[in-house]
Amino acid sequence: MLFRLTTFELALIVFAIVLGGALVGVFAGRLLREHSDALREPLGVLQGALLGLVGLVLAFGLTMAVGRYDARRAAVVAEANAIGTTYLRAQTLREPMRTRSLDALARYTDTSIRLSRSVPGSAGAKDAIADGGRLQRTLWGLAGEALAGSPTDSAPRLYVDSLNETIDMQTVRVSALNNRVPSVVLVFEILGAAVALGLLAVYLAILSRGVITIVLAALFVSALLLVTFDLDRPTRGFVQVPDTPLIALRASMELPPAARAPGAP
């Protein structure tokens, strides 16, 4: 559910829950102020322990989100390199497989760029993956024809090897895009932060301290939660996975092939 929300909707929910928990704690603390002598020590110990636990959970969630973000960036670079190598090796094939393969690889790169700009799991992403799968079958068929036509040449064998890596990289990339921080972890972080800040607010209100400290703490924790969520939303947040390597590769395909076809004058 969290993954389907817009960034604005997600921010509203997070701020409302965390700030709401803190303000409820302020209100409850003022009501319990007359029992401050009996509640001061146990609440101080409880809120301190809970804040430490929530801090560990927030750090754990942020670490998971950063790791997944780095994996997605690395997958884009690896796929661009695999397609680029395959494109270069396709230039060494004999005609007509050479021209047909180069054209199919350019269209395959377009599907990879579409995947980068689609929300994971959406209809657009599924269409991009399906189109890529059809082009993979086309490319593999052309590779088979190239091997059958030149069984002793090394160029088709090298091409098949890089094409196989290109096909494998799509699976790796789709898996990285769909590998999210579990929703239960994110929900636990939000609720845990609200409860911990609420207890802190109760404790400070019993001591007749100001509310500004609680509000600032709630804003800071909410911002940290939003950064965690943003890193785990590859195409909809402020921190997106760049598709620059694929864009640069596609632009290079508009240039004339660097290598001539075997047998060409």
Side-chain angles (χ1 to χ4, degrees):
M1 176 182 176
L2 292 175
F3 300 132
R4 298 188 181 96
L5 299 174
T6 65
T7 301
F8 180 72
E9 292 171 342
L10 187 60
L12 284 180
I13 292 174
V14 171
F15 279 116
I17 294 176
V18 176
L19 284 174
L23 294 178
V24 168
V26 171
F27 179 74
R30 289 178 176 176
L31 293 178
L32 297 172
R33 189 172 295 171
E34 61 184 39
H35 305 290
S36 60
D37 293 337
L39 295 176
R40 182 180 304 174
E41 184 175 351
L43 275 178
V45 174
L46 181 60
Q47 61 88 19
L50 189 56
L51 281 174
L53 177 61
V54 170
L56 289 175
V57 173
L58 290 176
F60 175 70
L62 183 60
T63 301
M64 292 179 66
V66 170
R68 283 160 170 75
Y69 175 79
D70 288 340
R72 295 185 191 109
R73 291 194 61 172
V76 171
V77 175
E79 185 177 37
N81 287 337
I83 297 174
T85 301
T86 305
Y87 188 81
L88 291 176
R89 291 182 177 178
Q91 297 176 20
T92 63
L93 299 178
R94 296 183 182 275
E95 295 289 1
M97 276 67 71
R98 176 181 184 269
T99 299
R100 294 166 61 188
S101 297
L102 292 177
D103 178 67
L105 283 168
R107 288 185 283 125
Y108 183 75
T109 306
D110 290 334
T111 65
S112 295
I113 295 173
R114 284 168 48 201
L115 181 61
S116 296
R117 299 175 179 179
S118 302
V119 177
S122 66
K126 293 177 181 177
D127 289 342
I129 295 171
D131 291 342
R134 285 190 286 269
L135 286 169
Q136 286 175 359
R137 292 181 61 86
T138 299
L139 286 164
W140 196 253
L142 292 172
E145 293 181 28
L147 276 175
S150 306
T152 60
D153 291 352
S154 60
R157 299 181 183 278
L158 292 172
Y159 171 73
V160 167
D161 182 66
S162 59
L163 178 60
N164 184 67
E165 183 179 359
T166 297
I167 294 173
D168 291 342
M169 279 310 306
Q170 189 198 53
T171 303
V172 173
R173 184 151 173 253
V174 171
S175 177
L177 286 171
N178 293 325
N179 185 18
R180 306 288 193 86
V181 177
S183 296
V184 64
V185 174
L186 301 178
V187 171
F188 182 75
E189 286 187 348
I190 297 174
L191 297 181
V195 172
L197 289 173
L199 285 176
L200 177 61
V202 171
Y203 180 69
L204 293 180
I206 287 177
L207 298 179
S208 301
R209 302 293 175 84
V211 183
I212 297 179
T213 304
I214 294 297
V215 174
L216 291 176
L219 290 174
F220 175 77
V221 171
S222 298
L224 181 60
L225 287 169
L226 288 175
V227 170
T228 301
F229 295 159
D230 208 48
L231 287 169
D232 208 39
R233 296 155 60 87
T235 59
R236 287 183 293 176
F238 294 106
V239 184
Q240 299 186 1
V241 177
D243 58 356
T244 307
L246 290 169
I247 296 294
L249 173 64
R250 185 63 181 86
S252 69
M253 293 178 177
E254 297 297 325
L255 301 174
R260 294 183 178 180

